[in-house]
Amino acid sequence: MTQGSAASVPAGRSMRADARRNRDRILAAAETAVAEHGAEASLEEIARHAGVGSATLHRHFPSRQALLEAVFHDRVEILCAKARDLAASPDPGSALVTWLRAVGAHAASNRGLAASLMRGARDGDSTLGTTCHTMIIDSGGELLTRARQAHAVRPDVAIADLLKLVNAISLAAEQETAGAAETDRLLTLALDGVRPQGVPVTGPARTRGGGSRNT
Amino acid sequence: MTQGSAASVPAGRSMRADARRNRDRILAAAETAVAEHGAEASLEEIARHAGVGSATLHRHFPSRQALLEAVFHDRVEILCAKARDLAASPDPGSALVTWLRAVGAHAASNRGLAASLMRGARDGDSTLGTTCHTMIIDSGGELLTRARQAHAVRPDVAIADLLKLVNAISLAAEQETAGAAETDRLLTLALDGVRPQGVPVTGPARTRGGGSRNT
DNA sequence: TTGCAAAACGGGGTGGTCCTCCATATCGTA
DNA sequence: TACGATATGGAGGACCACCCCGTTTTGCAA
């Protein structure tokens, strides 16, 4: 079911039993390795730990990116589902923020996720399937559109901007020894700049006057 | 003395002529290589291109980080000098923002700078000299303190937060094929959250509201 | 100028990475 | 059961960071 995940290989239903078994083993090993060493984990070691040859790993996942996407596919789907839920929220502004923070939280607790989400169809290797990047972009785009219609965000902000922001922060926090709490703090900080005129997300509409006037 | 840059090696006054010559060559080659391939440039190739053996490179710069710091040392100093200038500004709030954007601009136009600034004394290898990280933190801290005294920034924001934000964005923009303009746009967006009028997303209870008497 | 010890050098080795070929083993089916 | 398609993994090539150690260069002092 869910394992239609295959983001890299013919990988359809017609997969030999042993192939699927190895694929799952690789994925499990990769999950562990990535959690421990981040997105730069050694592929060789993943293969070793999965008990398969390196060639097998490469056949299943032609690129590191493909492997990462498979590893994170389920998590990304959870985020997309969450976006769908939130799209029905009566408060599109805070729905968007809630979702972005959820993305940040996931990225913070899954080393490498941020990096994976960042790299989109960049290298043109995406033709094989929907990448994490586009999945997330699509899901978030919906939320942003609604938030914009509700005038809860600046009109000049794109979903790509927001996700880049979220991922950038997660990535940065990942490199340092910062906890999830700090990541969220930074994120909150950054997201405050997204509202138009400083309309508080959670509270009554407060106008942020001249804005720069103070400084 | 500017070239006291040596962030990695005894590197003092008593340096043999050939050693200094090689050091400079390596630095020049590294500058080119990093500009072209980013912070992950091959050290071997840098040594080759500099016309020295790889051992020599490693003697002068025991780690990649040490090399990067030496490469960016001058640029970081420029930023620190700018911070000193801006510290005298009558408008501490915009001085801080101006400086942060300058940091962002530098990071955007120097591949690897952001990553270099990010990694602080992290690995404990810093005992050899003042790292880019701490130099920048110190310089920016001054600006932030003044801005805070002028109530131009939230009191709960640390300079490390702000720099992390700036660097995160630069890093993200660096990975994608984004131009400097986009980087600045994202940065401006994020920095808007720093001004005190904004109500924190998470803390509705927080009554800093008094500050915005306007409108 | 010459001699010499200390300093710097760099070739080559070690052990690691990613990735590819192709002879072999395994699977699913007729 | 037999066979062809499919999947496998070890060996090997190209690259990398980093280190050991015999050799060369330098600067100073006689």
Side-chain angles (χ1 to χ4, degrees):
Chain A
M1 28 30 196
T2 49
Q3 60 59 261
S5 23
S8 52
V9 134
R13 38 248 92 275
S14 63
M15 207 176 176
R16 243 169 62 175
D18 54 346
R20 160 147 12 257
R21 185 161 39 80
N22 279 334
R23 188 176 190 282
D24 290 349
R25 279 189 190 170
I26 292 170
L27 235 31
E31 203 157 334
T32 307
V34 167
E36 189 163 352
H37 302 106
E40 304 299 306
S42 157
L43 300 184
E44 208 82 11
E45 189 169 308
I46 290 173
R48 222 175 298 133
H49 194 269
V52 306
S54 55
T56 298
L57 186 149
H58 280 91
R59 192 172 317 106
H60 281 288
F61 308 98
S63 70
R64 175 184 296 275
Q65 182 59 18
L67 178 57
L68 288 177
E69 286 192 353
V71 167
F72 291 127
H73 187 272
D74 291 353
R75 283 162 245 223
V76 171
E77 269 201 340
I78 288 172
L79 286 173
C80 291
K82 183 156 196 166
R84 278 191 293 277
D85 285 354
L86 284 167
S89 161
D91 182 348
S94 56
L96 176 64
V97 171
T98 299
W99 185 71
L100 288 174
R101 297 180 71 195
V103 174
H106 269 72
S109 61
N110 293 287
R111 294 194 58 169
L113 215 199
S116 184
L117 289 178
M118 205 92 90
R119 291 185 182 73
R122 207 147 69 84
D123 299 336
D125 58 13
S126 72
T127 49
L128 301 143
T130 310
T131 65
C132 292
H133 185 77
T134 53
M135 285 171 67
I136 284 283
I137 289 274
D138 291 349
S139 300
E142 183 70 19
L143 286 175
L144 176 61
T145 301
R146 287 167 167 275
R148 190 182 290 148
Q149 282 167 354
H151 303 288
V153 295
R154 296 174 168 210
D156 63 337
V157 171
I159 187 63
D161 291 340
L162 296 178
L163 284 167
K164 221 174 282 180
L165 216 45
V166 172
N167 285 321
I169 290 169
S170 303
L171 200 58
E174 188 173 292
Q175 295 189 337
E176 309 254 336
T177 44
E182 164 150 19
T183 304
D184 196 60
R185 209 163 63 81
L186 264 185
L187 185 53
T188 300
L189 193 62
L191 289 181
D192 268 7
V194 171
R195 285 172 282 133
Q197 278 91 353
V199 174
V201 169
T202 47
R206 129 214 287 306
T207 22
R208 157 191 298 176
S212 58
R213 156 198 136 300
N214 63 329
T215 66
Chain B
M1 59 152 55
T2 47
Q3 59 58 262
S5 19
S8 53
V9 135
R13 42 252 104 272
S14 61
M15 207 176 177
R16 247 170 58 171
D18 54 344
R20 161 146 315 162
R21 185 161 37 82
N22 278 336
R23 188 176 190 282
D24 290 349
R25 278 189 190 169
I26 291 170
L27 235 31
E31 202 157 333
T32 308
V34 168
E36 189 164 352
H37 302 106
E40 305 299 308
S42 157
L43 299 184
E44 208 83 10
E45 189 168 308
I46 290 173
R48 222 175 298 133
H49 194 269
V52 306
S54 57
T56 298
L57 186 149
H58 279 90
R59 194 173 314 109
H60 281 289
F61 308 98
S63 71
R64 175 183 297 275
Q65 182 60 16
L67 178 57
L68 288 178
E69 287 192 354
V71 166
F72 290 128
H73 187 272
D74 292 354
R75 282 161 247 222
V76 171
E77 269 204 338
I78 289 172
L79 285 173
C80 291
K82 183 156 196 163
R84 278 190 294 276
D85 285 355
L86 285 167
S89 161
D91 183 347
S94 56
L96 176 63
V97 172
T98 300
W99 184 72
L100 288 173
R101 296 180 72 194
V103 174
H106 269 72
S109 61
N110 293 288
R111 295 193 56 172
L113 214 199
S116 184
L117 288 178
M118 205 93 91
R119 290 185 183 75
R122 206 148 69 85
D123 299 337
D125 58 14
S126 72
T127 50
L128 302 143
T130 311
T131 65
C132 292
H133 184 78
T134 54
M135 284 172 66
I136 285 282
I137 289 274
D138 291 348
S139 300
E142 182 70 18
L143 286 175
L144 177 61
T145 301
R146 287 166 167 275
R148 190 181 291 148
Q149 282 167 356
H151 303 289
V153 296
R154 297 172 165 213
D156 63 338
V157 170
I159 187 62
D161 291 340
L162 295 178
L163 284 167
K164 223 173 281 180
L165 215 45
V166 172
N167 285 322
I169 291 169
S170 302
L171 201 59
E174 187 173 293
Q175 296 189 336
E176 308 254 334
T177 44
E182 164 151 18
T183 305
D184 197 59
R185 206 162 65 80
L186 264 184
L187 186 53
T188 301
L189 194 63
L191 289 182
D192 269 7
V194 172
R195 282 179 277 139
Q197 288 89 340
V199 170
V201 172
T202 43
R206 178 199 258 306
T207 47
R208 85 142 49 84
S212 63
R213 64 312 207 131
N214 62 11
T215 73

